[in-house]
Amino acid sequence: MQYLFNLNLPAEILWDVNLKLAPGHYVQIDVLVLTPFHAIIYEAKNMADRLRFESDPSRLDKLDADGRLVASYECPMLQLQEEMANLRQWFYDRDIACAVDGAVVMTGSAIIEKPPHGGKIFRIRQIRNHLLDDYQASGGRRQNEIRELANYIRSRNEPYVPFPLIEKVGVATAELFWKPVCVKCWRKLERVTKRRWDCRCSWETTDPYTLTLERWFLLRSASITNADVRNLFDIPRTAAANLLSKYPLKKVGQGRTTRYTWSYSGRLMRSKK
């Protein structure tokens, strides 16, 4: 993103684009650049080591120095092609005449073997020439028209919320430690007094609650109960209820079925009241 902004081209740069195609079906784009002739999708991959594009099935293999297979990933070219097709459909459904282009941008130090035929795979510094092609030709959208299209896309954007992450990476909740941990060494924090927690590395805090709850919402679950809070901090029911009331959480349900949800808007902040 910083590289794109530093080019100082009269392009509109959008990121975290999430546009609805149909109920439950979205086109999700990390970086979208609007130029006079194109809407350009850049699919960035920050990878190192040796990478080999294979077919049947299409995939991206990661190899070690001796050529042994380390891991296999979904082919980023297929991912890009799907995003481009979905964006074309989104434009078509709204009678917007706009050609769609794209490229996979390797931002790491990977050595690429067997790049797929016909696919655009760039190093990050090749983006400049790719974009300049659209500005060296005459015609296309004027700057105010590019800006209007960008604003229209922004007005239709529905922010994508990928949380909680644990559901997407396939890690069992039992594999992670959920109680308060030290932000320096990640060891378990111990309560020394009613208000003070410390670690063996000498780090201490009076508020382990915010980071612990934020980790819970980002990683484990979109909601939390009074019982969960009691277990996390070893506090009684009343203290757990009082703690939950200090955060911008939505209360859902009644009695023992009550759950508290977070909107994932900004950082989780504790009220000073």
Side-chain angles (χ1 to χ4, degrees):
M1 291 298 301
Q2 192 59 52
Y3 178 83
L4 284 169
F5 286 124
N6 288 343
L7 292 179
N8 290 321
L9 292 174
E12 286 287 333
I13 303 171
L14 297 87
W15 59 93
D16 292 336
V17 177
N18 195 52
L19 304 172
K20 180 182 287 186
L21 286 169
H25 188 198
Y26 291 81
V27 51
Q28 296 170 359
I29 301 169
D30 289 338
V31 180
L32 180 64
V33 181
L34 303 180
T35 68
F37 292 97
H38 291 96
I40 302 175
I41 298 172
Y42 287 123
E43 181 66 34
K45 297 298 179 184
N46 184 20
M47 305 178 75
D49 301 316
R50 293 170 59 190
L51 302 175
R52 178 184 294 164
F53 286 85
E54 297 286 2
S55 57
D56 302 323
S58 295
R59 64 187 188 276
L60 180 62
D61 287 347
K62 182 176 181 179
L63 311 173
D64 64 16
D66 296 320
R68 291 188 294 262
L69 180 66
V70 176
S72 287
Y73 306 95
E74 179 183 8
C75 178
M77 288 305 307
L78 287 182
Q79 184 179 351
L80 173 66
Q81 290 164 7
E82 182 176 7
E83 291 171 357
M84 291 170 62
N86 285 337
L87 184 58
R88 290 189 185 104
Q89 184 65 49
W90 191 84
F91 283 146
Y92 177 82
D93 291 342
R94 288 154 184 80
D95 296 320
I96 298 173
C98 186
V100 176
D101 194 7
V104 173
V105 180
M106 306 304 293
T107 61
S109 58
I111 299 172
I112 307 297
E113 300 181 1
K114 295 174 61 178
H117 296 295
K120 295 180 180 178
I121 302 179
F122 296 162
R123 296 294 185 185
I124 192 167
R125 296 190 182 281
Q126 292 177 267
I127 290 178
R128 179 190 295 274
N129 290 335
H130 187 224
L131 289 176
L132 284 177
D133 287 343
D134 266 21
Y135 287 96
Q136 291 171 345
S138 59
R141 281 186 170 83
R142 295 187 294 272
Q143 187 61 35
N144 65 309
E145 293 173 326
I146 296 174
R147 189 176 302 111
E148 286 176 5
L149 177 58
N151 289 335
Y152 179 79
I153 293 174
R154 290 188 183 102
S155 71
R156 300 301 189 275
N157 189 41
E158 299 182 19
Y160 173 59
V161 179
F163 309 113
L165 292 174
I166 201 167
E167 297 177 357
K168 297 171 177 59
V169 298
V171 177
T173 57
E175 293 185 40
L176 301 179
F177 184 75
W178 298 102
K179 294 191 176 187
V181 294
C182 173
V183 299
K184 291 183 66 178
C185 68
W186 299 103
R187 292 190 182 97
K188 178 184 177 182
L189 284 178
E190 300 289 347
R191 187 197 296 271
V192 180
T193 66
K194 184 177 180 180
R195 295 184 178 275
R196 185 166 65 87
W197 300 64
D198 69 11
C199 175
R200 282 186 291 167
C201 73
S202 299
W203 186 81
E204 63 179 47
T205 181
T206 59
D207 181 15
Y209 309 105
T210 301
L211 288 178
T212 304
L213 291 174
E214 190 173 60
R215 283 197 308 127
W216 176 282
F217 286 117
L218 294 178
L219 296 175
R220 181 164 179 171
S221 175
S223 65
I224 196 168
T225 66
N226 184 288
D228 292 328
V229 175
R230 299 199 307 268
N231 181 59
L232 285 174
F233 305 110
D234 297 318
I235 56 178
R237 177 182 295 274
T238 301
N242 182 56
L243 178 64
L244 286 166
S245 70
K246 296 182 181 298
Y247 292 92
L249 304 175
K250 181 179 179 181
K251 188 176 180 180
V252 180
Q254 294 181 342
R256 294 186 179 275
T257 64
T258 301
R259 306 190 70 85
Y260 299 82
T261 63
W262 182 34
S263 66
Y264 296 106
S265 178
R267 297 298 302 269
L268 184 65
M269 303 292 288
R270 183 180 180 182
S271 169
K272 295 181 180 179
K273 294 181 180 180

